[in-house]
């Protein structure tokens, strides 16, 4: 796994999207860390304030290389097979990226109201037994 996806494990929408990504990727490129795991986040240097800005993607080989919010979603899409075609098209259409960024911000800020909040934090099977933690041990 070359990338770590930091997601809101209490958000119904976020968890549904992570589960879809898990099915597509099968742990080949991505591991998944809920924002509610302070032990791992601290090792990555991620604060609760960072998490308030949305989804985070970290290149595990070069941890300083990070994406957040729509940039993270676009990079995840680009990394998936044939995803680059769709991301490039999305980015090239005038005004679409700007609208996408605004929609993301609204959904991010109102996700529990719009989609509900889970009673328990979702823990991905692609980050069990602190495997994600071992990926961050080199910092």
């Amino acid at each position: 796994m070359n990338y770590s996806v930091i997601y809101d494990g209490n958000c119904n929408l976020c968890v549904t999207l992570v589960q879809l990504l898990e099915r597509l990727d099968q742990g080949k490129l991505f591991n998944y860390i809920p924002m509610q795991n302070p032990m791992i986040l601290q090792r990555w240097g991620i604060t609760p304030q960072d998490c308030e800005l949305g989804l985070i993607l970290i290149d595990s080989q070069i941890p300083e290389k990070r994406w957040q919010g729509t940039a993270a979603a676009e990079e995840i899409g680009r990394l998936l097979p044939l995803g680059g075609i769709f991301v490039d098209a999305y980015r090239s259409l005038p005004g679409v990226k700007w609208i996408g960024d605004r929609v993301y911000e609204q959904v991010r800020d109102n996700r529990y109201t719009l989609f509900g909040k889970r009673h328990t934090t979702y823990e991905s099977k692609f980050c069990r037994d602190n495997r994600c933690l071992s990926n961050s041990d080199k910092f």
Side-chain angles (χ1 to χ4, degrees), residues 67-130:
W67 300 262
Q68 188 154 21
T70 56
E74 291 168 17
E75 186 64 14
I76 289 168
R78 192 188 67 73
L79 291 165
L80 293 171
L82 300 177
I85 295 167
F86 296 103
V87 172
D88 289 344
Y90 164 79
R91 288 176 176 167
S92 69
L93 294 170
V96 174
K97 172 141 175 53
W98 184 87
I99 292 169
D101 290 347
R102 302 299 79 75
V103 169
Y104 180 90
E105 290 167 1
Q106 289 300 309
V107 171
R108 176 198 67 204
D109 295 344
N110 299 289
R111 62 191 178 272
Y112 296 139
T113 302
L114 294 170
F115 301 100
K117 185 173 182 178
R118 297 172 56 90
H119 296 291
T120 60
T121 300
Y122 176 74
E123 298 281 347
S124 172
K125 65 182 177 180
F126 295 105
C127 187
R128 294 255 167 118
D129 303 322
N130 286 327

Side-chain angles (χ1 to χ4, degrees), residues 55-75:
L55 177 71
I56 301 169
L57 178 67
I58 300 173
D59 182 327
S60 298
Q61 305 302 316
I62 309 167
E64 300 78 29
K65 193 170 187 181
R66 298 176 180 200
W67 300 262
Q68 188 154 21
T70 56
E74 291 168 17
E75 186 64 14

Side-chain angles (χ1 to χ4, degrees), residues 7-59:
Y7 67 97
D8 183 346
N10 292 342
C11 162
N12 284 329
L13 174 66
C14 308
V15 168
T16 299
L17 294 174
V18 163
Q19 290 171 334
L20 174 63
L21 190 54
E22 288 172 331
R23 283 192 291 279
L24 291 171
D25 178 56
Q26 295 294 306
K28 293 176 185 143
L29 280 176
F30 304 107
N31 62 46
Y32 309 90
I33 305 165
M35 293 177 176
Q36 292 76 16
N37 189 328
M39 182 176 71
I40 294 175
L41 296 182
Q42 185 178 32
R43 287 183 174 234
W44 288 102
I46 296 173
T47 67
Q49 293 77 21
D50 295 329
C51 293
E52 289 176 17
L53 298 176
L55 177 71
I56 301 169
L57 178 67
I58 300 173
D59 182 327

